[in-house]
Amino acid sequence: RCPRPALPILRWLPRYSRAWLPLDLLAGLAVGLTAVPQALAYAELAGLPLQYGLYSSFMGCFVYCFLGTAKDVTLGPTAIMSLLVSSYAFHDPVYAVLLAFLSGCIQLAMGLLHLGFLLDFISCPVIKGFTSAASITISFNQVKNILGLQGIPRQFFLQVYETLRRIRETRAGDTVLGLTCLAALAGLRAMKSRLSQAAPAEPLAVRISYLIIWISATARNALVVLFAGLVAYSFQVMGSQPFRLTGSIPQGLPALRPPRFSLAAPNGTVPFQSMVQDMGVGLAVVPLMGLLETIAIAKAFASQNGYRIDPNQELLALGVANVLGSFVSSYPITGSFGRTAVNAQSGVCTPAGGLVTGALVLLSLEYLTSLFYYIPKAALAAIIISAVVPMFDAGIFRTLWRVKRLDLVPLCVTFLLCFWEVQYGIVAGVLLSGILLLYSIARPPIKVSEGAVLLVQPGSSLHFPAVEHLRGSVCSRALAASPPRSVILDCSHVSSIDYTVVVGLAELLQELRSHGLSLAFCGLKDPVLQVLLSADLEGFQHFPSWEEAEQCRGAELGGSRAEPFTSTAEST
């Protein structure tokens, strides 16, 4: 067999078919028409000048074409990442670009060291709590632009208070336009979800109508921005302007330069060490959430479309995209669920569609920025709200109540604390999930069946936090029985043990022997048996099955087979 190429692009480029080209072009254009207006909106959400959204939208497309393993995934700015950048970059482009560079370095290191498994410790309830809280936070953050209010603080609770206090200052023009854009986006989204594929046998008029509706629904963000911009321009020509506009955006491509590792301040220079300290826990939260979004999206679309991805290669692709992106003034990027869905629904065949998307963003920067002046902020706010509302999963609370109510604890803690500070919510949720996980390891289910001897069956592997729990369960039941009974430890569910468990089992053997009782092992798997034999435990006995162990103990007790087990109890 030929070795598999290390560079992912070499796995599909040599067999690229001309039949794929029109589909990749169409998908790239569809994603680009979505990416450009979203980039402007997400930069507003991140608290950065709007051009930084466009600066962040093309490098990921180019890098992923060479290094990505999922044909559908698109990298770029997202609502979640923009919210995090707003929290940790302090609305300063220098901090945002440096955060992209450092996040990329961390992601690159994790990919090279195959540390992607660390993401598995962020449980689904924590993720759902964070995304649901982020959906509410981001949506309410845009209410000020829908209402035309200025000077609203970004902290969520202060934001709610100030918005309600100043509700009478609402600008009618912005509100009407914002609500109209929201209604149009919701209607086009609903239209697309209910649109059935036109069969090739359908009349030409039907197929053309389907194509027009599909393109309109797919490029709904671009259409809404175009409509709002035309309305605002019309008012400008007539000499009045009822909307708050985006304003001037610098024309041209970003300069190719490394991120700045210091920042000029009125009272001196902020050195690199101080900038890192200012970003603090953001240097862990931003790269981890970026990895989590990208891999989750890649896995979801790969399983849906019947192909496999390489998680560590995805980490490398994202890390390289963020590092190289920082050289063109990009803030941190990650996989975008919305644009990836557009890519998949457009019939993309390879990651080459990203080249078209990236080229469209570059053309917008070079030639269209002067037109962006007339885009109302209310229209961009409507695009953001439309994108993040589906992230709120109200059903997860009901589902966890039915499935496992204990998982509601990390979900609710994460959800509530994220309204205070994002990092507190995520860290608290992960810690709570870890505590619940450790508790299940420290207190494994132990089934005790009573007969002439006690049959003790641990329900999972034994690790050092669980050894005292096991000793206590065995001794309390064996010595409390009348008369005291010997014990058979059925290890058929135990696949591994550690040294502390071996020491605890040795002490358990001695304690039972001091009371004239014995402890026999049965159902030992080979790795566990080898460990116990190597430990050379005094009085160690093992049998292939509990029936043989029971017969042996019965013979010791009375020369005949012991009575069958008569009752069962659970110890947890």
Side-chain angles (χ1 to χ4, degrees):
R1 286 178 66 182
C2 295
R4 194 182 189 194
L7 200 62
I9 190 175
L10 298 179
R11 301 171 194 170
W12 56 265
L13 186 60
R15 55 186 181 86
Y16 194 86
S17 168
R18 281 189 297 178
W20 297 349
L21 183 59
L23 292 171
D24 284 345
L25 286 173
L26 176 63
L29 286 171
V31 175
L33 291 173
T34 303
V36 171
Q38 279 192 344
L40 301 172
Y42 290 152
E44 167 75 19
L45 176 61
L48 301 174
L50 299 195
Q51 66 268 24
Y52 283 89
L54 294 171
Y55 295 165
S56 306
S57 298
F58 63 88
M59 185 60 75
C61 299
F62 296 143
V63 169
Y64 198 83
C65 178
F66 291 89
L67 300 180
T69 59
K71 67 181 181 65
D72 303 296
V73 170
T74 62
L75 300 182
T78 65
I80 294 288
M81 196 54 61
S82 299
L83 176 66
L84 296 176
V85 170
S86 173
S87 299
Y88 299 116
F90 318 109
H91 312 154
D92 190 325
V94 176
Y95 273 93
V97 174
L98 181 60
L99 183 58
F101 176 78
L102 296 177
S103 297
C105 291
I106 293 170
Q107 291 162 344
L108 200 54
M110 290 182 68
L112 292 172
L113 297 174
H114 294 256
L115 296 179
F117 72 92
L118 293 176
L119 300 176
D120 297 336
F121 288 95
I122 304 178
S123 66
C124 184
V126 173
I127 297 170
K128 288 291 187 181
F130 165 66
T131 54
S132 295
S135 173
I136 296 174
T137 303
I138 293 170
S139 297
F140 203 88
N141 182 268
Q142 297 306 307
V143 169
K144 65 179 185 292
N145 289 327
I146 295 286
L147 300 179
L149 301 178
Q150 292 180 293
I152 301 295
R154 286 187 170 267
Q155 208 283 332
F156 179 74
F157 296 108
L158 293 177
Q159 201 173 82
V160 173
Y161 172 75
E162 281 295 312
T163 301
L164 295 176
R165 188 178 69 85
R166 297 172 53 190
I167 197 72
R168 294 182 180 178
E169 301 174 22
T170 298
R171 292 165 57 101
D174 285 309
T175 304
V176 171
L177 180 66
L179 294 178
T180 302
C181 291
L182 275 175
L185 289 168
L188 289 169
R189 180 193 293 272
M191 185 187 301
K192 185 176 182 180
S193 66
R194 291 170 172 79
L195 188 64
S196 57
Q197 179 75 43
E202 295 281 354
L204 181 61
V206 173
R207 284 180 285 156
I208 292 176
S209 300
Y210 167 82
L211 185 61
I212 293 173
I213 295 173
W214 182 86
I215 291 175
S216 301
T218 300
R220 56 185 178 272
N221 291 331
L223 287 178
V224 164
V225 165
L226 180 62
F227 163 76
L230 288 173
V231 171
Y233 179 75
S234 301
F235 276 103
Q236 188 83 6
V237 169
M238 291 188 294
S240 63
Q241 189 53 264
F243 312 123
R244 290 178 56 227
L245 302 181
T246 295
S248 300
I249 296 177
Q251 186 172 0
L253 304 181
L256 183 62
R257 61 189 178 196
R260 291 164 57 184
F261 294 95
S262 62
L263 178 65
N267 55 351
T269 301
V270 180
F272 174 70
Q273 294 87 343
S274 298
M275 295 178 73
V276 170
Q277 290 174 357
D278 291 341
M279 288 185 280
V281 72
L283 291 175
V285 173
V286 171
L288 285 178
M289 292 309 300
L291 292 175
L292 194 64
E293 273 198 277
T294 301
I295 292 180
I297 291 169
K299 284 183 176 179
F301 281 87
S303 62
Q304 180 180 333
N305 293 285
Y307 60 88
R308 298 180 63 186
I309 65 161
D310 181 349
N312 285 302
Q313 185 62 48
E314 293 294 305
L315 302 188
L316 291 174
L318 183 60
V320 171
N322 273 313
V323 170
L324 294 183
S326 68
F327 283 76
V328 290
S329 302
S330 166
Y331 69 82
I333 62 173
T334 183
S336 165
F337 186 87
R339 294 192 294 275
T340 299
V342 170
N343 211 19
Q345 292 163 5
S346 303
V348 71
C349 297
T350 68
L355 297 177
V356 181
T357 301
L360 191 60
V361 174
L362 291 177
L363 289 173
S364 300
L365 274 167
E366 186 65 34
Y367 299 109
L368 299 180
T369 49
S370 59
L371 301 179
F372 295 156
Y373 177 92
Y374 296 101
I375 299 176
K377 289 192 173 185
L380 296 180
I383 289 174
I384 293 176
I385 294 173
S386 175
V388 300
V389 163
M391 293 184 345
F392 182 79
D393 187 0
I396 188 64
F397 295 91
R398 184 171 59 255
T399 301
L400 290 183
W401 181 264
R402 292 198 312 264
V403 176
K404 189 176 181 182
R405 295 177 184 179
L406 196 59
D407 281 341
L408 284 169
V409 177
L411 172 72
C412 293
V413 167
T414 304
F415 179 76
L416 294 174
L417 286 183
C418 277
F419 290 115
W420 180 22
E421 289 288 348
V422 171
Q423 65 268 29
Y424 296 156
I426 295 174
V427 170
V430 170
L431 287 176
L432 269 175
S433 295
I435 291 171
L436 295 176
L437 175 63
L438 291 175
Y439 183 81
S440 66
I441 294 173
R443 294 294 181 268
I446 298 175
K447 182 179 179 181
V448 180
S449 301
E450 297 183 358
V453 293
L454 289 182
L455 178 65
V456 179
Q457 296 174 297
S460 62
S461 292
L462 295 174
H463 300 285
F464 64 91
V467 66
E468 289 301 323
H469 174 58
L470 176 65
R471 283 184 59 191
S473 299
V474 170
C475 290
S476 63
R477 300 297 294 272
L479 300 179
S482 181
R485 297 170 187 174
S486 294
V487 178
I488 300 172
L489 189 59
D490 182 358
C491 297
S492 55
H493 299 298
V494 179
S495 59
S496 64
I497 59 174
D498 54 42
Y499 176 72
T500 306
V501 174
V502 173
V503 172
L505 292 175
E507 293 173 353
L508 179 60
L509 275 166
Q510 292 177 359
E511 186 171 355
L512 291 175
R513 288 182 58 162
S514 67
H515 290 86
L517 304 174
S518 61
L519 172 64
F521 296 81
C522 69
L524 291 171
K525 299 183 185 298
D526 286 341
V528 179
L529 178 59
Q530 292 302 320
V531 170
L532 293 175
L533 290 175
S534 301
D536 194 22
L537 300 181
E538 184 179 354
F540 174 68
Q541 303 176 73
H542 70 94
F543 301 89
S545 65
W546 65 265
E547 290 90 349
E548 295 183 40
E550 183 192 0
Q551 288 176 4
C552 181
R553 298 279 74 78
E556 291 180 3
L557 290 170
S560 62
R561 193 175 188 274
E563 292 297 321
F565 297 112
T566 56
S567 63
T568 300
E570 289 282 346
S571 177
T572 57

